[in-house]
């Protein structure tokens, strides 16, 4: 069986950026004038994020700190930048990369937020993982942010249900573009994204 890292390496094209291997926390900021989302290149802590918010100028607002659910991830290029390197810049003294442009949010009656996101995002999960999947009539959505500790607190969209998948081998997911992303900001940030084809 090939390792997840070697499988992900094959997905990394010239100019793309691989996120540090393992499940870490990353912070995001939003460019106020354009809506562009920039994610920290390096893992971050809550203390890092709090300090960042104090240093941000008016061109940016905080986008949050989230725990990555995947074991590996990469961005092939920035939104609308196919064939070009991922855009990078320093914000408040830290390296960030341009990873997404979200559309207009739709808030479900349960409080979950649904957004179409323009991005080129590949995620990977290790063999043996038990993943929480959110299934809706329009497809299956894999957890990208958060963990299953708070599944019982998670309000679901109409006709949505949670189920689990146990991986027998490493699983590579190329998220569609645009990606449909569901976010909930209750007991820690959670996000399910897709739709994806389950292994």
């Amino acid at each position: 069986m090939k390792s997840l890292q070697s499988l992900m390496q094959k997905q990394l094209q010239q100019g793309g950026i691989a996120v540090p291997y393992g499940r870490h926390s990353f912070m995001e900021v939003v460019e106020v004038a354009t809506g562009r989302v920039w994610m920290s290149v390096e893992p971050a802590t809550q203390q890092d994020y709090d300090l960042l918010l104090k240093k941000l100028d008016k061109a940016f607002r905080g986008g949050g700190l989230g725990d990555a659910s995947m074991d590996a991830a990469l961005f092939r290029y920035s939104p609308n930048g196919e064939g070009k390197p991922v855009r990078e810049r320093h914000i408040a003294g830290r390296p960030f990369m341009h990873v997404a442009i979200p559309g207009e949010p739709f808030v479900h009656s349960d409080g979950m937020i649904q957004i179409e996101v323009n991005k080129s995002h590949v995620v990977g999960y290790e063999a043996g993982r038990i993943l929480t999947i959110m299934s809706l009539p329009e497809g299956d959505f894999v957890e990208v942010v958060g963990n299953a500790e708070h599944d019982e607190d998670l309000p679901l969209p109409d006709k949505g249900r949670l189920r689990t998948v146990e991986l027998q081998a490493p699983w590579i997911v190329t998220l569609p573009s645009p990606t449909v992303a569901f976010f909930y900001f209750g007991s820690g940030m959670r996000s399910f994204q897709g739709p994806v084809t389950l292994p």
Side-chain angles (χ1 to χ4, degrees), residues 34-55:
T34 63
R36 293 173 179 157
V37 175
W38 297 78
M39 188 182 95
S40 59
V41 174
E42 302 163 349
T45 64
Q46 184 64 52
Q47 185 177 7
D48 292 329
Y49 184 63
D50 292 342
L51 183 60
L52 175 77
L53 293 180
K54 293 177 182 178
K55 292 183 175 181

Side-chain angles (χ1 to χ4, degrees), residues 158-195:
D158 186 40
K159 298 182 180 178
R161 65 187 179 94
L162 295 182
R163 58 194 180 109
T164 58
V165 171
E166 184 172 0
L167 300 181
Q168 303 303 313
W171 184 33
I172 305 293
V173 181
T174 300
L175 290 167
S177 186
T179 296
V180 178
F182 292 86
F183 287 93
Y184 182 65
F185 298 93
S187 303
M189 186 191 301
R190 294 295 302 277
S191 181
F192 295 83
Q193 302 184 15

Side-chain angles (χ1 to χ4, degrees), residues 16 27 42 50 52 58 62 97 108 120-121 124 141 157 164 184:
M27 52 190 180
E42 302 163 349
D50 292 342
L52 175 77
K58 293 181 180 180
M97 54 184 165
H108 289 263
S120 181
H121 195 185
F141 298 80
T164 58
Y184 182 65

Side-chain angles (χ1 to χ4, degrees), residues 51-153:
L51 183 60
L52 175 77
L53 293 180
K54 293 177 182 178
K55 292 183 175 181
L56 282 182
D57 61 36
K58 293 181 180 180
F60 295 94
R61 63 174 175 81
L65 177 76
D67 298 327
S69 298
M70 73 292 289
D71 299 292
L74 62 86
F75 292 90
R76 289 177 165 162
Y77 49 85
S78 293
N80 304 323
E82 188 170 0
K84 300 178 182 178
V86 172
R87 296 178 63 202
E88 297 181 82
R89 66 180 294 178
H90 277 73
I91 301 171
R94 294 184 67 111
F96 280 78
M97 54 184 165
H98 177 208
V99 297
I101 298 177
E104 289 297 320
F106 172 79
V107 182
H108 289 263
S109 58
D110 54 22
M112 188 168 277
I113 299 169
Q114 179 177 341
I115 309 174
E116 279 199 355
V117 182
N118 178 352
K119 62 177 179 173
S120 181
H121 195 185
V122 180
V123 296
Y125 302 85
E126 285 283 15
R129 288 282 306 273
I130 298 176
L131 301 180
T132 300
I133 303 294
M134 185 172 72
S135 293
L136 297 168
E138 54 265 42
D140 295 309
F141 298 80
V142 65
E143 60 179 339
V144 173
V145 181
N147 59 69
E149 291 178 9
H150 303 291
D151 278 355
E152 68 280 357
D153 300 326

